[in-house]
Every structure is written in structure tokens, then in C-alpha cells.
Amino acid sequence: MRRRGGRGVAGPLGQRDGVDAVRVRLPVGGWATLREHLVERYGPVIGAGRVDAMLARGEFVGADGRPVAGGEPYAAGRTLWFHREFPPEERVPFEVGVVHRDERIVVADKPHFLATTPRGRHVTQTALARLRRDLGLPHLQPAHRLDRLTAGLVLFVVRPEDRGAYQTLFRDRRVRKEYEALAPYDPDLALPATVRSHIVKERGVVAAYEVPGAEPNSESRVELVERRDSLARYRLLPETGRTHQLRVHMSALGVPILDDPLYPEVREDGPDDHGRPLRLLARALEFTDPYDGSPVRFESRLRLAWPAG
């Protein structure tokens, strides 16, 4: 079932495994009963039988928290709430570290393979759900996102009223982000270099791509930090925040990030190999705090491991 309705709206149901209940606002329509609408809305996805079972168990509730009956008259504009049934998820065997915590923000060290927020088949196995449960912060929300396969720093906001100020920092590019990557060493690649290109990420397509000749919408600076034989450690400084931007730019330079399953070629989808993470780390976040004006810098405690051998 897809979540409908506005985010951050308090409802009668508490969180389950760190995940909010779904809010359903009933639209204008000609349904006679609640059941007719719910079966038409969710039956194609989960089946009419499961909708009936949820109604029988009292899993759809009204704004007062009381279960609703399928035979109740339909009323447009009414709000219902329910919890999704989560499919079994394999636990990502790495913990979420906390680099900083105060009354407004939590800066977390997200491990490889853990999504930032619930999406698709990753719901309870996300950094947001884990932190809400482990820290007892039910209103926690991210100010930005980090790819599931990328490790490192993510800034979360504790209180809903503070979220806009921190999101605006990222939207207006007032956060200096520093990444680190392990990739092949190319003696012919002149560094440091600034890469600019037009990146497109289509919905439903796993890999992004560059459009030659189009107006650039992405910019990254790439610096060489250290060389070890045929491999090197790079510092990556993105000026913009396109999806997969650093992975696309490193591949375009001919030095794709180690163990990248998408660039330069999409590998066949399969179970995560936790022993071969994408060697990309969000290493530092630096900005001026929007509330007290103090300059802050946070650094990840995680480290990228050089491949054995």
C-alpha cells in the first residue's frame, strides 16, 4: 500500500518499528460504504480478502483511534489511519553510529547497505526507523538523504518545527559536503579536476546517465589523496546533489568507484554482498548552524577498507 496524505500529521496510532502509520483521507466519490472504497483502493494491491481481514481485526481506525466498520456510510473528507504490513526484511548487519546529538539534530554514521528512509522493499531496515527506535525520538526526520549503498554522515532533525531550517541549508547549497572514495589509479588523469555534466535519473531506471552537450546541472571536484599500487583514495567535493552524481562522475573520468554495481555497467541484481560494499563514504558535513550562527563540522568515524590483496 502506498502512503497517502501529508507527512508529519499526528494521528491516533503510534509508530510501529519506528515507522509511521499510513494516513488516508477519503476523496469525493460515489462509494456507499467504507469497505467499497477501501477494496477499490487497496484490493488491486493486496486483495479484497486482506482488506476485509484488516477491517475485521479493527486495523483501520478513525481520528479518535476507534476501529471503523466496513459497513459504515462513506463520508468524503474523513481521515482513517492504519499500519502497513511489513514484508520480512533481512537485517543489515551493521550498526548506525551517532556522531553528534543535541536538542535539535542527530548526526548519524549510516553504514553501507542501509537505506536512509523507508522506501520500496526497505522499510524497517532503514537508518530512520532504527534511530527512532533506538534513541526514542519518534519525530526524527532526515534533513537530506544518502544513497543506500553509500556510508557516512546523515543529518537528522529531532523536532518537526526545526526541520525546515536545516533542509534549507541543503537546498541552498550552504552545506559543504566532503566524500571519500577508493577507485583505480590512472597516471594519465590530471588531478585535481572539476567535472561538470548534465545528469538525468529517470524514475524506475536504476542507473543515471549523462546527456552530452546539455547544460550542466551537476558539478564535482575530484582530488587525489593517496595511491596504493593500482588503486587510489580520492577526495570528492560535490557542488550539487544529483542522484548518483559522484558515482557517475568518477565513472566518466575512467576511474569508477570500487564495487559499484551500476557504473560503468549495471550488474545483475541479487542479494547484497556485505563483504563488498561500494567504496564511497560521506566523510564530512560543514555548515553554519541556522539557529545560533556557530560554524560546525562533523566527521565520520567510519573508514573505507582497501580491498584485500
Side-chain angles (χ1 to χ4, degrees), residues 283-307:
R283 186 176 180 277
L285 292 174
E286 190 172 339
F287 56 89
T288 298
D289 188 89
Y291 285 95
D292 63 17
S294 63
V296 293
R297 177 180 170 87
F298 302 106
E299 295 188 2
S300 173
R301 296 168 184 165
L302 299 174
R303 295 293 180 266
L304 295 176
W306 295 87

Side-chain angles (χ1 to χ4, degrees), residues 6-24:
R7 294 183 178 180
V9 180
L13 296 178
Q15 292 176 352
R16 180 182 293 171
D17 291 327
V19 181
D20 292 326
V22 178
R23 174 177 177 260
V24 184

Side-chain angles (χ1 to χ4, degrees), residues 24 30 56 63 68 84 99 106 123 128-129 144 149 153 181 183 185 196 248 250 259-260 263 267 273 276:
V24 184
V68 301
R84 289 172 288 179
V99 173
V106 171
V123 181
L128 178 62
H144 64 120
L149 298 184
L153 297 182
Y185 172 74
R196 300 181 182 89
V248 170
M250 290 293 283
D259 294 312
D260 193 327
Y263 308 97
R267 293 204 306 251
D273 182 350
R276 293 184 58 193

Side-chain angles (χ1 to χ4, degrees), residues 198-234:
H198 188 96
I199 295 177
V200 174
K201 177 65 170 68
E202 297 178 357
R203 187 179 182 88
V205 180
V206 294
Y209 61 91
E210 294 178 298
V211 180
E215 182 71 20
N217 63 2
S218 64
E219 179 178 324
S220 308
R221 180 177 173 84
V222 180
E223 302 174 356
L224 178 65
V225 176
E226 175 187 4
R227 175 192 173 188
R228 291 192 184 182
D229 300 322
S230 62
L231 300 177
R233 186 187 305 274
Y234 297 88

Side-chain angles (χ1 to χ4, degrees), residues 147 150 173 177 179 194-201 207-210 216-222 236-253 257 260 263 280:
D147 285 349
T150 304
R173 302 178 187 174
K177 303 176 187 177
Y179 288 72
T194 298
V195 185
R196 300 181 182 89
S197 69
H198 188 96
I199 295 177
V200 174
K201 177 65 170 68
Y209 61 91
E210 294 178 298
N217 63 2
S218 64
E219 179 178 324
S220 308
R221 180 177 173 84
V222 180
L236 310 178
L237 304 171
E239 181 63 28
T240 54
R242 295 289 168 180
T243 300
H244 296 180
Q245 174 178 316
L246 297 176
R247 298 163 67 180
V248 170
H249 283 167
M250 290 293 283
S251 182
L253 289 173
I257 298 172
D260 193 327
Y263 308 97
L280 179 62

Side-chain angles (χ1 to χ4, degrees), residues 95-259:
E95 300 304 317
V96 183
V98 175
V99 173
H100 173 84
R101 177 181 178 181
D102 60 34
E103 71 277 6
R104 287 198 176 96
I105 62 173
V106 171
V107 181
D109 246 343
K110 187 188 78 66
H112 294 286
F113 304 107
L114 192 69
T116 301
T117 58
R119 184 178 182 182
R121 68 180 186 271
H122 307 286
V123 181
T124 59
Q125 285 301 300
T126 60
L128 178 62
R130 284 197 189 179
L131 288 169
R132 282 176 168 178
R133 294 193 306 265
D134 297 347
L135 301 181
L137 298 174
H139 301 296
L140 197 70
Q141 290 287 351
H144 64 120
R145 284 173 173 77
L146 198 61
D147 285 349
R148 187 178 73 88
L149 298 184
T150 304
L153 297 182
V154 183
L155 189 149
F156 293 85
V157 184
V158 175
R159 302 179 297 206
E161 61 267 29
D162 295 334
R163 189 182 185 196
Y166 289 98
Q167 283 184 314
T168 299
L169 292 179
F170 288 89
R171 184 197 67 193
D172 294 347
R173 302 178 187 174
R174 287 187 280 142
V175 177
R176 183 182 184 273
K177 303 176 187 177
E178 181 179 321
Y179 288 72
E180 197 171 87
L182 300 182
Y185 172 74
D186 182 355
D188 296 324
L189 180 61
L191 295 177
T194 298
V195 185
R196 300 181 182 89
S197 69
H198 188 96
I199 295 177
V200 174
K201 177 65 170 68
E202 297 178 357
R203 187 179 182 88
V205 180
V206 294
Y209 61 91
E210 294 178 298
V211 180
E215 182 71 20
N217 63 2
S218 64
E219 179 178 324
S220 308
R221 180 177 173 84
V222 180
E223 302 174 356
L224 178 65
V225 176
E226 175 187 4
R227 175 192 173 188
R228 291 192 184 182
D229 300 322
S230 62
L231 300 177
R233 186 187 305 274
Y234 297 88
R235 180 181 298 111
L236 310 178
L237 304 171
E239 181 63 28
T240 54
R242 295 289 168 180
T243 300
H244 296 180
Q245 174 178 316
L246 297 176
R247 298 163 67 180
V248 170
H249 283 167
M250 290 293 283
S251 182
L253 289 173
V255 286
I257 298 172
L258 294 183
D259 294 312

